[in-house]
Amino acid sequence: MHDDRTLTEERLDRALRERIRPAVHPRTAPLEFEVWHAPGEPVPFAEAMAAPFKPGAVGDDWGPAWGTSWFRVTGRVPADWAGETVEAVIDLGFAKDRPGFSAEALAHRPDGSVVKALNPRNTWLRLGEPVAGGEEFTYVLEAAANPEILDGVSALGDRETAGSEPLYRVERMDLAVFDRQVWELVQDLEVLDQLMRRLPLGSARRWEILRAVERCLDALDLDAVGASAPAARERLRAVLSSPAHASAHRLSAVGHAHIDSAWLWPLRETVRKVARTTSNVLALMDDRPEFVFAMSQAQQLDWLREHQPALYARVKEKAAAGQFVPVGGMWVESDTNMPGSEALARQFVYGKRFFLEEFGIETEEVWLPDSFGYSAALPQLVKLSGSRWFLTQKISWNTTNPFPHHSFLWEGLDGTRVFTHFPPVDTYVAELSGEELAHAEENFREKGHATRSLVPFGWGDGGGGPTREMLARAERLADLEGSPRVTIERPADFFAAAEAEYERPPVWLGELYLELHRGTYTSQARTKQGNRRSEHLLREAELWAATAAVRTGFPYPYEELDRIWKSVLLHQFHDILPGSSIAWVHQEAEATYARIAGELEAVIGAAQRALAGAPEEGSAVVFNSAPHGRAGIAAGGAALAPRDPEPAVEVEELGPGFRLDNGLLRVTVDARGLVVSVVDLVAGRETVAPGCAANLLQVHPDLPNRWDAWDVDAFYRNTVTDLTEADVVRRSGDGVEVVRTFGSSRVTQLLSLRPGARRLDIDTEVDWHEREKFLKASFPIDVRADHSTAETQFGHVQRPTHTNTSWEAAKFEICAHRFLHVGEPGWGAALINDSTYGHDVTRTVREDGSTTTTVRLSLLRAPRYPDPATDQGVHRLRYALLPGATIGDAVREGWRLGLPERRVAGRAEVAPLVSVDADAVVVTAVKLADDGSGDVVVRLHEAHGGRVSARLTAGFALAGASVTDLLERPLADETAEVDGDAVRLVLRPFQIVTLRLTPNDEA
């Protein structure tokens, strides 16, 4: 037989495009509308209804960037349409080539109640099924002119430069008859066409479908599509009824809409995106009771509760019915590389608690499809939050090494394991196409061991979520020969079944490093600095407020701290903290961090004044918020300031250059302002590699291939400019000031030693005006280290410094929190910082056989997309070199750098509220219990990587103690060993423990 396959496939393409899809709405009538363009920011419905609307017409322009236009649409159903299904079909100029990232609208009834949303691929509003004919109706559309900021440099992300020209044009405003049979025919043909094209050419099933499609088209009258559609569908019945193979892959389809809490739009627009998507989902649930939709990010539901209470009430009804499923267990889908220990724990505390209090649901699956890599601390936090499973998809974006598993056990820092799934469909915005489902089945790496995977379906980021077409596909693909079996179900049902069937899943140990988006450790330095400082201020505010509450009756600011924590957690969203949002987002973040700092400073000041007592002239109490004692002041305690003068640091002028000496370190700064020697006087060892200079600032070109703010590509290292010319090298107090100018920028550094401290402090101010450049600070250290040790949440991770395999080579840029350490047996060195996350570590072997291990901090970048002015302006950064440092030294000094001592007038000695007798145990939080009981909650962990026995002593009479989960609920399998006013602890490496201490009020 002749091969006429292409002829039939092309016939189907044209018939669908030109005849069948247009016949879904065979009769139309124009709608009338009026419009009001709101000036400035969005306004409530009632305010818009009082505004002066003006007549509009199809073809009218509307919507300057970020503007809101209100359309009042009216019409009458023609009398001769009685008995038909009728829809309004509206196109406000939506993007034709993408499902979101465009204009959107929320449709209201005249009383303000919400109908559903209009999105680029969801343009209908159902009037009735059927209609009586003659009905008059009105819809009010709140239309958002969100600009498309998807490619290249754009001024649209900043309100100051976005302009006032309209971006959109009204393309269609029609009333239309909806022909159900034609629509069903479209779904039949699309499912079969997509399946057919993915089947092998030699497959009998492919040709069976082709011939059925051919017979269907023969039965279709192209001049009377509606009338002939039932007969045409009948020709497809047999191929649509043929069941899937017994061994067909099983796909659990979960309705979903990935909505970035901010990205190419500001936070306020996400509030509206959530309402629009939710309204679509609820409308689908009313029509399709089998439809299940999963929504993560408690923050987004909290926005809905605040701004759209009627929609939120409907969400709660559908949640109770099992259709609307909260997932994720976190406040937002946060970045997990850069949030601090306590902040990452609080993501789970606030998310889980919201779902429990609002929905009565204990979420068990952690849902993080789109973050840029996953911390090795997460498995333990997942378990301690009361969750069981973890889901992501982003690791499929690896550019070098395909991840070897789709279902596996993920083992974290401390040995905790959680069952984890990567959907092999390789997208979190699936449309259930034949291409996607075939890819999921072919790509699934657990074949022979497991039979099922999950597919999240629905348009995100303004696309409006799942559509009726997606549900129609799922219905047809439930049991269809040649396709995986598709079942719409809850994520928990999938996880329970997937875990049960996989008896011995493989184990992945350590972080899930994303081989992409490495620039997010550095972009938007002010946002990162604001986050780190907010985390430290929250620690201080809780510690001193709790101490003052127990000791003096100080009113603990529960509500204020709760509100601030939620704001900090929101800004850890995976496009805010990583620096990959538009200018508007980061401008708001900077202002928010400044406001938060003021509020927390007020809390800290009030609590410390209550503890310090009445001020006396010349007296001061020094408060130490760090988790380790210093200068004779216990961790979490305060003492009178010492009156003895501190020993001076020697500063010697060497002609060209200077030498600094504090008896522990001797630092030589040459005429170029470069550190050419750092002698560890305790060990008698030079830190800087021979012939090299430390604190060498280096500038690289930085134009990644694809994602500017997100990526640094390895080739940036091929070209480097060393900043060795200095404008000024001079003594400044007990340090050396160095000033350099380069390009359009200027950097001023103060290099200093502190009395009694084994560290070289470097305070840096950069007035940065480069474009597409990368600024690094280099420290070539004379040590042979085959791995680096970087602080992460509740511990540290070790990464190879070599490039033996592609897995190591791909980690050319890495994330560290307060420290990064390199060492050999008996001696090491660390770099600590106050707000820098990006680092790289390389090694070379010198001619004499010795090794130089170079550690570099990534200080600033200058990407142009999505914010053309990223990081322009003045930055103040602090970092320090610690020669002769152990891991414990690095932990201790990292905390001290970020938590400087505070001096408050007064004369009271303040004993710690709690104290721990083991240096390896770090207390990350001291606070009052969230339930207002007055109990003291302490969270701590082992920080050095070894087993430790410790004793935690309460600075108050102790009535009892319990070990709890992150939500401060007692753990059934854990008991606290109480000994008087102390608790005895035995911790495994990196173990997190939360203790709830009940004061004895009668003591």
Side-chain angles (χ1 to χ4, degrees):
M1 180 176 288
H2 298 298
D3 183 352
D4 58 354
R5 172 179 55 85
T6 301
L7 185 69
T8 301
E9 289 172 354
E10 290 179 351
R11 179 188 179 192
L12 174 60
D13 281 346
R14 185 173 185 185
L16 276 170
R17 183 177 63 253
E18 296 185 9
R19 298 300 175 90
I20 307 175
R21 290 193 188 102
V24 169
H25 294 116
R27 287 181 283 172
T28 63
L31 295 169
E32 295 182 351
F33 69 91
E34 301 172 291
V35 63
W36 174 65
H37 306 293
E41 285 296 279
V43 301
F45 179 86
E47 184 175 338
M49 291 304 92
F53 281 70
K54 295 182 178 179
V58 170
D60 285 355
D61 293 332
W62 69 279
W66 308 116
T68 300
S69 294
W70 290 80
F71 294 85
R72 185 156 52 207
V73 182
T74 58
R76 179 193 295 271
V77 177
D80 61 350
W81 288 8
E84 302 281 7
T85 299
V86 176
E87 297 178 340
V89 182
I90 297 172
D91 184 349
L92 298 174
F94 300 129
K96 301 298 185 291
D97 61 341
R98 59 182 65 96
F101 306 98
S102 178
E104 307 165 58
L106 184 64
H108 302 77
R109 300 178 184 87
D111 63 1
S113 59
V114 172
V115 182
K116 62 179 287 292
L118 297 169
N119 308 92
R121 296 184 186 172
N122 194 336
T123 61
W124 55 274
L125 298 169
R126 178 68 51 80
L127 266 74
E129 188 176 9
V131 295
E135 297 98 325
E136 295 182 349
F137 63 90
T138 299
Y139 289 124
V140 180
L141 313 180
E142 180 188 12
N146 297 331
E148 299 178 38
I149 311 175
L150 289 171
D151 299 298
V153 178
S154 174
L156 293 171
D158 188 334
R159 285 173 294 181
E160 299 299 319
T161 59
S164 58
E165 293 300 313
L167 300 180
Y168 295 102
R169 176 173 297 170
V170 178
E171 299 288 349
R172 184 177 184 182
M173 286 271 189
D174 283 339
L175 194 62
V177 169
F178 176 78
D179 191 317
R180 169 70 65 180
Q181 282 295 320
V182 174
W183 183 84
E184 296 285 2
L185 176 61
V186 171
Q187 312 316 309
D188 292 344
L189 288 170
E190 286 185 346
V191 165
L192 290 171
D193 182 35
Q194 292 169 8
L195 173 60
M196 174 179 66
R197 292 173 190 266
R198 281 296 309 214
L199 291 170
L201 282 177
S203 162
R205 175 65 168 164
R206 177 165 183 158
W207 290 91
E208 181 184 54
I209 294 173
L210 184 80
R211 296 306 171 208
V213 167
E214 188 177 66
R215 291 192 296 271
C216 167
L217 295 177
D218 288 344
L220 189 69
D221 184 344
L222 296 181
D223 294 321
V225 173
S228 57
R233 291 192 69 203
E234 185 62 31
R235 302 289 179 92
L236 300 175
R237 183 184 300 276
V239 289
L240 284 169
S241 301
S242 183
H245 296 301
S247 61
H249 186 63
R250 298 177 181 274
L251 279 169
S252 296
V254 178
H256 181 51
H258 178 74
I259 304 176
D260 288 303
S261 288
W263 177 28
L264 303 180
W265 49 85
L267 289 168
R268 67 90 155 143
E269 194 54 36
T270 312
V271 174
R272 301 202 295 177
K273 286 179 183 288
V274 169
R276 291 188 283 257
T277 297
T278 303
S279 68
N280 284 345
V281 167
L282 292 169
L284 277 179
M285 288 177 179
D286 289 340
D287 291 341
R288 305 292 291 265
E290 79 281 8
F291 173 46
V292 171
F293 179 82
M295 185 169 178
S296 66
Q297 306 197 68
Q299 170 68 88
Q300 295 188 358
L301 286 164
D302 198 37
W303 279 332
L304 195 69
R305 180 183 62 82
E306 178 183 356
H307 296 279
Q308 293 284 353
L311 275 181
Y312 186 67
R314 292 176 60 197
V315 164
K316 295 188 78 169
E317 291 174 2
K318 296 298 185 183
Q323 283 188 273
F324 196 105
V325 183
V327 293
M330 299 177 75
W331 188 247
V332 294
E333 289 184 9
S334 76
D335 177 78
T336 75
N337 289 311
M338 292 173 283
S341 300
E342 193 57 31
L344 195 56
R346 300 295 176 98
Q347 287 285 353
F348 289 95
V349 170
Y350 280 88
K352 295 274 291 191
R353 183 169 291 145
F354 182 88
F355 294 137
L356 279 166
E357 293 177 351
E358 291 293 317
F359 297 93
I361 293 173
E362 176 89 39
T363 54
E364 293 189 298
E365 55 284 293
V366 175
W367 188 278
L368 273 176
D370 190 30
S371 291
F372 310 146
Y374 301 91
S375 163
L378 274 172
Q380 187 176 190
L381 292 173
V382 169
K383 183 176 180 181
L384 287 174
S385 73
S387 294
R388 298 172 54 189
W389 305 302
F390 183 80
L391 177 139
T392 183
Q393 184 273 321
K394 200 68 172 188
I395 300 299
S396 70
W397 289 39
N398 276 3
T399 54
T400 306
N401 300 285
F403 196 79
H405 313 300
H406 283 113
S407 291
F408 60 99
L409 294 177
W410 181 18
E411 182 177 328
L413 282 174
D414 70 313
T416 300
R417 294 178 174 182
V418 295
F419 186 79
T420 298
H421 182 66
F422 290 166
V425 70
D426 283 348
T427 180
Y428 43 84
V429 287
E431 55 179 319
L432 301 181
S433 69
E435 178 77 21
E436 291 168 344
L437 302 193
H439 176 74
E441 183 168 33
E442 294 165 6
N443 189 39
F444 188 54
R445 296 192 179 96
E446 317 307 318
K447 295 184 184 76
H449 299 286
T451 65
R452 61 185 73 233
S453 66
L454 185 146
V455 52
F457 70 93
W459 304 125
D461 288 335
T467 64
R468 59 187 180 185
E469 288 78 15
M470 294 177 193
L471 294 181
R473 287 182 200 133
E475 183 179 17
R476 287 159 175 78
L477 294 165
D479 190 15
L480 183 61
E481 183 184 354
S483 170
R485 287 188 174 89
V486 176
T487 303
I488 294 178
E489 63 181 351
R490 296 163 58 246
D493 294 334
F494 159 76
F495 272 107
E499 188 175 29
E501 76 167 355
Y502 208 166
E503 292 185 2
R504 290 183 296 276
V507 177
W508 181 270
L509 172 64
E511 68 179 330
L512 296 171
Y513 178 92
L514 178 64
E515 297 173 356
L516 191 71
H517 293 356
R518 304 166 183 91
T520 58
Y521 311 148
T522 305
S523 298
Q524 298 288 0
R526 293 186 189 89
T527 298
K528 291 171 171 58
Q529 192 169 71
N531 173 73
R532 179 82 68 85
R533 292 180 178 174
S534 296
E535 291 175 346
H536 283 160
L537 288 170
L538 276 162
R539 171 194 175 86
E540 291 188 87
E542 289 184 337
L543 169 64
W544 300 122
T547 304
V550 172
R551 298 276 169 72
T552 73
F554 178 83
Y556 191 81
Y558 290 100
E559 292 183 2
E560 186 174 6
L561 291 173
D562 185 76
R563 173 178 52 78
I564 293 172
W565 262 119
K566 288 176 180 176
S567 185
V568 171
L569 298 178
L570 166 59
H571 285 83
Q572 292 175 344
F573 178 75
H574 66 252
D575 276 309
I576 303 179
L577 180 53
S580 47
S581 287
I582 57 173
W584 186 343
V585 173
H586 292 289
Q587 290 163 2
E588 282 193 339
E590 188 173 353
T592 298
Y593 287 132
R595 173 181 54 78
I596 285 172
E599 293 172 341
L600 291 173
E601 290 285 1
V603 172
I604 294 164
Q608 289 182 338
R609 287 191 297 273
L611 289 165
E616 289 189 21
E617 185 176 350
S619 66
V621 179
V622 180
F623 286 81
N624 174 27
S625 301
H628 304 89
R630 58 181 165 189
I633 304 171
L640 289 173
R643 296 186 181 276
D644 295 332
E646 295 179 338
V649 175
E650 293 183 10
V651 181
E652 179 185 358
E653 189 167 350
L654 300 178
F658 295 88
R659 178 177 294 142
L660 309 177
D661 192 322
N662 69 350
L664 299 174
L665 297 179
R666 182 182 298 129
V667 178
T668 302
V669 181
D670 71 6
R672 302 170 297 170
L674 299 177
V675 177
V676 292
S677 174
V678 180
V679 178
D680 177 357
L681 297 173
V682 177
R685 176 163 175 165
E686 173 62 61
T687 304
V688 181
C692 297
N695 192 40
L696 171 65
L697 297 178
Q698 298 178 301
V699 178
H700 296 270
D702 184 20
L703 185 65
N705 287 345
R706 290 195 63 196
W707 299 86
D708 288 15
W710 290 259
D711 291 345
V712 288
D713 290 336
F715 56 74
Y716 86 86
R717 298 176 298 180
N718 298 346
T719 306
V720 62
T721 300
D722 293 342
L723 302 183
T724 58
E725 299 296 323
D727 303 333
V728 175
V729 180
R730 64 189 173 203
R731 177 171 180 170
S732 178
D734 288 339
V736 176
E737 182 184 46
V738 181
V739 180
R740 307 181 193 280
T741 53
F742 58 96
S744 301
S745 303
R746 176 186 177 93
V747 59
T748 302
Q749 294 189 302
L750 179 65
L751 286 68
S752 61
L753 298 178
R754 299 180 64 190
R758 201 169 166 178
R759 80 185 199 202
L760 170 63
D761 286 342
I762 303 167
D763 289 2
T764 300
E765 180 177 284
V766 187
D767 190 5
W768 180 245
H769 296 284
E770 305 308 302
R771 300 284 184 178
E772 295 171 342
K773 296 291 190 293
F774 198 1
L775 180 65
K776 294 259 188 177
S778 176
F779 291 81
I781 299 172
D782 189 8
V783 66
R784 181 174 176 81
D786 62 3
H787 68 266
S788 65
T789 302
E791 186 185 45
T792 190
Q793 300 92 350
F794 298 105
H796 55 254
V797 291
Q798 294 183 338
R799 303 180 180 101
T801 58
H802 58 75
T803 56
N804 282 1
T805 73
S806 57
W807 290 91
E808 285 95 30
K811 296 180 181 179
F812 59 82
E813 183 79 4
I814 56 177
C815 183
H817 283 207
R818 297 177 187 86
F819 74 82
L820 189 142
H821 180 276
V822 291
E824 58 193 33
W827 193 89
L831 278 175
I832 62 172
N833 70 84
D834 77 337
S835 57
T836 298
Y837 296 91
H839 296 73
D840 72 88
V841 184
T842 54
R843 58 193 298 276
T844 57
V845 176
R846 307 192 295 269
E847 289 186 2
D848 65 356
S850 300
T851 302
T852 299
T853 302
T854 301
V855 180
R856 299 198 303 169
L857 293 90
S858 304
L859 301 181
L860 292 169
R861 298 185 65 218
R864 303 190 68 191
Y865 175 78
D867 176 6
T870 299
D871 279 333
Q872 300 300 295
V874 176
H875 301 267
R876 297 203 61 173
L877 308 167
R878 296 181 67 210
Y879 50 91
L881 174 66
L882 273 66
T886 64
I887 297 296
D889 295 330
V891 171
R892 188 183 314 109
E893 293 300 322
W895 278 101
R896 287 175 177 174
L897 184 70
L899 287 166
E901 298 161 313
R902 293 176 179 268
R903 291 172 176 258
V904 178
R907 290 196 61 83
E909 296 285 334
V910 182
L913 195 59
V914 296
S915 58
V916 183
D917 65 357
D919 188 66
V921 176
V922 170
V923 174
T924 60
V926 178
K927 58 188 287 292
L928 293 193
D930 290 341
D931 61 7
S933 64
D935 288 355
V936 175
V937 171
V938 181
R939 190 148 29 246
L940 50 84
H941 71 284
E942 195 287 322
H944 294 182
R947 188 173 295 272
V948 65
S949 296
R951 181 182 175 93
L952 180 140
T953 302
F956 51 89
L958 193 59
S962 61
V963 180
T964 74
D965 66 4
L966 297 182
L967 278 70
E968 302 168 12
R969 303 174 296 190
L971 291 172
D973 55 349
E974 298 279 352
T975 58
E977 185 182 343
V978 179
D979 180 10
D981 292 335
V983 179
R984 296 184 182 276
L985 301 166
V986 177
L987 304 180
R988 65 180 179 271
F990 305 126
Q991 182 180 358
I992 304 166
V993 172
T994 304
L995 293 173
R996 183 171 182 139
L997 310 177
T998 302
N1000 185 348
D1001 295 330
E1002 297 179 0

